[in-house]
Amino acid sequence: MPVKQNISNHNAVFFCTFTCYNWFHLFELTKFYDGIYNWFNILINKGNKIVGYVVMPNHVHFVIYFTMPDTTLNKIVGTGKRFMAYEIVERLKQQEQFILLETLAAGVNVHDRKNKKLHEIFKPSFDHKLCISYEFIEQKLVYIHHNPVAKHWKLVDDWRTYPHSSASFYETGIQKNTIVTHYREVSL
């Protein structure tokens, strides 16, 4: 469900997704996986917990235990997307991806253009679902961890080996890329 209202629940678990504009593979093209992990680490340093994730070539699914009472989930995702967008544009410029940059510039709507926005890197909104049970969290983790082997993607043969996912943490307990908190360690 696209976000149109402020999500101010704190000490709650959410399944979230955000997507690159026009489903362009901007994370893969710019090797921006590190940028997503940096953002996750900022969220963790502010007291939130990343419960699971997968970073695909053009979208991110993550489960977050959101703990910040002085802000909204909308605000942290929106701010994160804004700063990630600046870095993605810089990487595209370094790669001399000028035609793609022109396409991303043409995607900015009139209102945002008046507010000096130069490129449309992400779809304007993001999806979220409040996770009210451990079973629901498990369902979402299975979905995100199997995303890389889905028929459309086939990025790896074994979902446990996709490098940009928390699947290996749940299989082996070994942390990589960012600190993941097991879903059974968060309160619902």
Side-chain angles (χ1 to χ4, degrees):
M1 121 179 109
V3 174
K4 301 215 186 306
Q5 77 281 358
N6 283 329
I7 304 142
S8 58
N9 307 48
H10 64 280
N11 297 324
V13 179
F14 291 94
F15 166 72
C16 301
T17 302
F18 61 87
T19 306
C20 294
Y21 175 73
N22 269 5
W23 293 90
F24 291 143
H25 289 207
L26 298 177
F27 300 144
E28 176 61 29
L29 181 63
T30 60
K31 304 299 181 219
F32 194 72
Y33 301 100
D34 63 321
I36 302 293
Y37 303 133
N38 289 340
W39 179 62
F40 284 165
N41 292 335
I42 290 168
L43 295 176
I44 292 166
N45 289 335
K46 292 184 177 196
N48 302 288
K49 298 181 185 319
I50 300 299
V51 174
Y53 68 90
V54 66
V55 185
M56 300 296 285
N58 62 6
H59 67 283
V60 177
H61 297 296
F62 63 100
V63 180
I64 184 172
Y65 180 63
F66 180 62
T67 63
M68 301 171 67
D70 57 338
T71 190
T72 64
L73 188 61
N74 311 62
K75 182 81 168 166
I76 67 162
V77 173
T79 300
K81 285 169 52 178
R82 186 173 72 245
F83 286 105
M84 286 185 271
Y86 293 137
E87 180 61 28
I88 290 170
V89 167
E90 283 308 308
R91 291 182 188 195
L92 290 171
K93 287 178 182 176
Q94 290 170 3
Q95 294 176 357
E96 299 181 357
Q97 295 280 346
F98 301 121
I99 294 173
L100 179 55
L101 286 163
E102 288 175 17
T103 302
L104 297 170
V108 178
N109 67 43
V110 173
H111 177 265
D112 289 339
R113 192 166 309 198
K114 287 180 183 176
N115 289 328
K116 310 262 190 260
K117 185 174 184 177
L118 301 177
H119 300 91
E120 193 68 62
I121 301 301
F122 297 107
K123 289 187 176 186
S125 192
F126 75 103
D127 294 331
H128 78 287
K129 295 214 181 290
L130 179 64
C131 299
I132 57 172
S133 70
Y134 290 122
E135 293 77 21
F136 188 72
I137 296 171
E138 289 170 1
Q139 175 192 21
K140 293 305 176 189
L141 289 173
V142 167
Y143 171 75
I144 67 177
H145 290 156
H146 286 82
N147 211 222
V149 296
K151 185 178 178 182
H152 171 74
W153 289 105
K154 294 303 280 174
L155 298 173
V156 290
D157 291 328
D158 183 342
W159 57 273
R160 293 169 289 216
T161 64
Y162 184 66
H164 305 294
S165 165
S166 58
S168 64
F169 166 75
Y170 280 99
E171 289 295 306
T172 67
I174 298 171
Q175 298 278 4
K176 62 179 189 176
N177 301 323
T178 195
I179 296 170
V180 177
T181 299
H182 195 285
Y183 72 95
R184 291 283 184 179
E185 295 178 23
V186 298
S187 302
L188 296 180

